[in-house]
Amino acid sequence: MGQNTDRRALVRDRFDRAVGYEGAATMQRVAAQRLFEKLQERMEGRVPLRILELGCGTGFLTEKLRNAWPQADIVATDIAPHMLERAQQRVGEGLCYRIMDAGEPDVSGPFDIVCGNLVFQWLEHPQQAIARLGRLLSPGGILALSTLMDGTFQEWRTACAVEHEESGTPDYPSAASIGEWYPSLFNGGWETEACVQTFSNGRAFLRHLKETGASVPRAGYRPMQLSALRRSLARFDAQGSVVTWRLAYGCFQKPPRAGVFITGTDTGVGKTFVSACLVKAWEALYWKPLQSGLAEEAGDTPTILSLTHCAPEDCLPPAGAFQAPLSPEAAARAEGVTIDPASLALRMQEPERPMVVEGAGGLMVPATETLMMCDLAAQWGLPVVLVARSGLGTLNHTLLSLEALRQRGIAMAGVVLNGPLNPANRETITEKGKVRILAEIPFQADVSAQSVEGIAQTLPSWADVRGGA
């Protein structure tokens, strides 16, 4: 269930009766504007064809969606029928208005955008709902959410606590909990902000909660005695009748196609061998966007052909190939060439078939004059497989690489450890890096098609890696 049945009915009833919502919902308007701006930024000028909005309320966000993308088919939903009626009055006809619990989406995708403003703090199982919603998105689609978080209305809670009373305001999710709300293999992340709102007095604050439908108490709360309420209100007024709203905004993008981006903690860790094993295991396409060092070797694309015996057309040609054994940017400059970033657009042949995209060196290797390899990883939107050594020195390199990926909101498919089995390093990387170890590949004295075939049989399937994405 999206919520406990009794509590869901209570939430629906309170919002249905929130007749003063339009005039009182100041912060709801602010949050809708912020979420819309983040959504527009993530869309990068693309035009959506279908949009699903969760918990539309009286239509603050709905109106912005309609004005920005008038050609889109918008499905606006809310659990409260009267809220939907007010949204329709605000935005008008031409949209599909539908009663729906955000925790139990019962619509058919795909959608280019799924969004919801200040909805997820009401759900009993938000991560499960997010996973369901992710499956409703089209490739490259955006999931954009905002929620209240722990610390909201702390001033009122403190005033009550000083008077040895408990506030009835809900226990909103913590930042740590919200950080675990994301669709598997989607790029993106959460940002937070604090907004302060001043009321004329404590009674005006409590009236505001009622007018916006947010007066649903937390489970098990027992209302204060009138005398205790008066003391708490007096304490709140003495503190300035101010409350802080703590908000979190999450924007996540579904991978635009099936596949992974292969990078390493540094050069020479075995990216190409691992790429070959994945190509073989998944019957995948292969693309090495930028190749350098051709003066000293044949290059990775011919190596993949030799190791996997895949069809030549399954190995897509590089966008740039250079002689010097340097970073792509430096190798291109040595030849008097400038790499055009437009040539590095993700290849979309057979988009439902996995593609193994192999980077050059590690994440911080310059790819062009303006882009590092990590920038390309973010641009392509594919989950990353990080190849690392299994032995001494790997912890620092691996954990730093994982941190760099997370700071950029790049999804991780997992880590592959190359070399002698090292249970201690595996455990540390799993625990400290909060990442899946996809495989541990022992040292291969003979790198050949036969060894690739053997390792490929031990790797997880593409369906297993993809999961519910």
Side-chain angles (χ1 to χ4, degrees):
M1 298 290 287
Q3 305 172 49
N4 173 277
T5 303
D6 292 340
R7 183 168 178 78
R8 177 172 54 184
L10 181 59
V11 170
R12 182 184 62 231
D13 181 64
R14 291 293 174 89
F15 278 101
D16 247 356
R17 293 189 294 166
V19 294
Y21 190 93
E22 282 289 317
T26 302
M27 290 311 305
Q28 287 80 355
R29 293 175 188 270
V30 169
Q33 178 63 33
R34 296 271 206 280
L35 183 63
F36 177 69
E37 290 168 356
K38 295 177 186 300
L39 174 57
Q40 274 194 313
E41 181 180 0
R42 177 65 77 162
M43 286 296 292
E44 297 179 322
R46 290 179 295 143
V47 177
L49 299 180
R50 294 192 76 208
I51 300 174
L52 172 64
E53 184 187 2
L54 312 164
C56 68
T58 60
F60 295 152
L61 179 58
T62 319
E63 188 173 40
K64 298 178 186 301
L65 298 171
R66 177 68 175 278
N67 290 340
W69 298 299
Q71 75 295 324
D73 175 15
I74 299 176
V75 181
T77 70
D78 200 284
I79 197 174
H82 289 167
M83 282 288 189
L84 275 177
E85 292 173 5
R86 294 171 202 150
Q88 188 167 5
Q89 291 171 5
R90 170 191 291 277
V91 183
E93 301 298 330
L95 280 66
C96 174
Y97 298 94
R98 179 169 179 169
I99 298 172
M100 189 183 83
D101 180 359
E104 298 179 343
D106 59 354
V107 292
S108 298
F111 294 93
D112 301 307
I113 293 173
V114 174
C115 56
N117 183 45
L118 298 183
V119 176
F120 274 68
Q121 69 271 11
W122 298 110
L123 302 187
E124 185 179 4
H125 301 295
Q127 176 56 41
Q128 293 179 17
I130 285 173
R132 294 189 192 104
L133 294 168
R135 290 191 286 271
L136 292 176
L137 282 166
S138 58
I142 306 296
L143 177 63
L145 310 168
S146 64
T147 182
L148 295 179
M149 58 186 295
D150 186 34
T152 297
F153 308 146
Q154 186 59 51
E155 295 86 352
W156 170 244
R157 294 174 73 111
T158 298
C160 295
V162 170
E163 298 300 329
H164 307 289
E165 296 291 339
E166 290 189 359
S167 160
T169 54
D171 292 324
Y172 295 116
S174 66
S177 296
I178 292 170
E180 298 298 319
W181 299 357
Y182 59 88
S184 177
L185 303 188
F186 282 42
N187 275 8
W190 289 92
E191 300 176 13
T192 63
E193 74 168 344
C195 297
V196 175
Q197 187 173 11
T198 302
F199 292 88
S200 57
N201 53 45
R203 292 185 183 278
F205 166 64
L206 296 183
R207 186 166 56 252
H208 165 84
L209 293 181
K210 184 176 181 180
E211 289 173 340
T212 58
S215 59
V216 179
R218 68 176 181 275
Y221 172 69
R222 294 183 178 180
M224 298 183 209
Q225 296 292 326
L226 183 58
S227 57
L229 177 60
R230 287 171 176 164
R231 292 195 306 272
S232 298
L233 286 168
R235 177 74 59 178
F236 181 74
D237 291 344
Q239 295 172 353
S241 305
V242 169
V243 294
T244 300
W245 298 71
R246 298 195 178 275
L247 304 108
Y249 303 92
C251 267
F252 303 91
Q253 184 168 12
K254 191 168 187 171
R257 62 160 300 137
V260 295
F261 173 68
I262 309 290
T263 190
T265 52
D266 56 301
T267 299
V269 295
K271 293 191 307 298
T272 302
F273 181 73
V274 170
S275 295
C277 294
L278 292 176
V279 167
K280 191 70 175 180
W282 299 343
E283 298 182 353
L285 300 170
Y286 174 82
W287 183 41
K288 176 83 172 185
L290 294 170
Q291 175 73 64
S292 57
L294 292 177
E296 299 180 354
E297 60 180 60
D300 294 332
T301 302
T303 300
I304 293 294
L305 281 167
S306 173
L307 291 176
T308 65
H309 296 156
C310 65
E313 60 269 23
D314 288 344
C315 285
L316 309 184
F322 311 101
Q323 298 299 309
L326 303 170
S327 72
E329 187 270 337
R333 188 171 63 249
E335 296 182 21
V337 176
T338 299
I339 300 172
D340 180 4
S343 70
L344 298 173
L346 182 65
R347 304 311 193 237
M348 294 301 293
Q349 289 93 328
E350 301 181 67
E352 295 184 0
R353 181 181 178 185
M355 174 187 284
V356 173
V357 180
E358 183 183 350
L363 291 167
M364 302 308 290
V365 168
T368 73
E369 292 181 349
T370 58
L371 297 171
M372 311 290 274
M373 289 307 304
C374 58
D375 298 319
L376 290 176
Q379 175 181 304
W380 290 327
L382 298 178
V384 167
V385 172
L386 178 66
V387 182
R389 293 182 174 86
S390 62
L392 184 67
T394 195
L395 295 182
N396 185 60
H397 290 163
T398 304
L399 295 177
L400 280 174
S401 295
L402 292 172
E403 181 66 20
L405 289 166
R406 290 204 170 92
Q407 285 182 352
R408 291 164 175 79
I410 299 173
M412 280 295 306
V415 170
V416 173
L417 294 174
N418 252 337
L421 298 182
N422 191 317
N425 282 350
R426 174 194 172 106
E427 182 178 347
T428 300
I429 291 169
T430 300
E431 180 180 330
K432 303 297 184 184
K434 296 180 173 57
V435 69
R436 175 184 180 182
I437 304 297
L438 288 179
E440 294 176 277
I441 299 179
F443 173 73
Q444 302 294 304
D446 174 34
V447 176
S448 64
Q450 289 73 29
S451 61
V452 166
E453 174 73 31
I455 295 299
Q457 293 177 9
T458 70
L459 297 179
S461 67
W462 169 245
D464 177 25
V465 172
R466 180 188 59 198

